[in-house]
C-alpha cells in the first residue's frame, strides 16, 4: 500500500514512525476509548510490517519459524516454562 | 500459549517486555544476522498480540477495520496521500 514511500524513507525513518505509534499505543492503553485502542494496535502492526518490507524480511515466515510449533522454550502449546525464564 | 502468565503480569508488565523486544529489533536491524532479525520481528508481534489479549482487543478485527479497505487517508490500495501527511 505504501511501499514506494517506505523504500524512499528507509529503515531508520520508518522505525521512527513505529516508535511514534508505540507511544500512541501506550497512551491509548491508559484510556477508555476502545475504538481508538484497536486503531493504535492496527497502526503498530502496520508499521512493523512496513519495516519488515523495507528490511526484506518475510513476517509470516518469521512468525511460523519461531512460534509455529509451540513455545520456543518448552515446546508446549500452553507454555510450561518456569516463571523465572524470559516468557 | 502464555495466557495465564500474561493475565497475571497485566498490561503494564507486558508492555515492558514489548519494549525490550523493540530494542532487540532496533539492534538486529543494524546487524547482518538475517535469522536473528526475523526472530526479533516474530518476538515483537508475539508481544503485541499478548498485550492485545490482556487488553481484550481483537487484533485481527482491528487490522481489518483500519486497513481492510485500502489507505485510511486516500482509500486507495496503493496510497496516493501527499508526502507531507502522516503516512
Amino acid at each position: 500500500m505504501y511501499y514506494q514511500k517506505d523504500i524512499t524513507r528507509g529503515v531508520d525513518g520508518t522505525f521512527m514512525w513505529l516508535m511514534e505509534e508505540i507511544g500512541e499505543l501506550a497512551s491509548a492503553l491508559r484510556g477508555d476509548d476502545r475504538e481508538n485502542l484497536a486503531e493504535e494496535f492496527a497502526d503498530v502492526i502496520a508499521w512493523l510490517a512496513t519495516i519488515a518490507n523495507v528490511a526484506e524480511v518475510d513476517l509470516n515466515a518469521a512468525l511460523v519459524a519461531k512460534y509455529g510449533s509451540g513455545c520456543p522454550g518448552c515446546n508446549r502449546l500452553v507454555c510450561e516454562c518456569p516463571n523465572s525464564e524470559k516468557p
Side-chain angles (χ1 to χ4, degrees), chain A:
Chain A
M1 197 180 293
Y2 303 106
Y3 191 67
Q4 198 45 61
K5 295 186 183 187
D6 301 331
I7 289 291
T8 306
R9 191 192 311 112
V11 169
D12 290 1
T14 308
F15 201 87
M16 288 301 291
W17 282 113
L18 174 67
M19 294 320 295
E20 182 164 324
E21 295 299 339
I22 291 274
E24 290 180 11
L25 176 63
S27 183
L29 284 164
R30 290 186 305 105
D32 333 288
D33 187 337
R34 301 285 298 167
E35 204 178 301
N36 176 244
L37 178 58
E39 276 192 45
E40 299 304 344
F41 271 109
D43 286 347
V44 172
I45 297 262
W47 281 109
L48 206 67
T50 300
I51 295 172
N53 284 344
V54 176
E56 297 180 24
V57 170
D58 182 334
L59 209 47
N60 266 326
L63 267 166
V64 167
K66 182 129 191 198
Y67 295 101
S69 325
C71 171
C74 65
N75 272 114
R76 303 262 192 271
L77 282 177
V78 177
C79 171
E80 291 173 14
C81 292
N83 273 345
S84 53
E85 304 262 329
K86 179 171 183 173

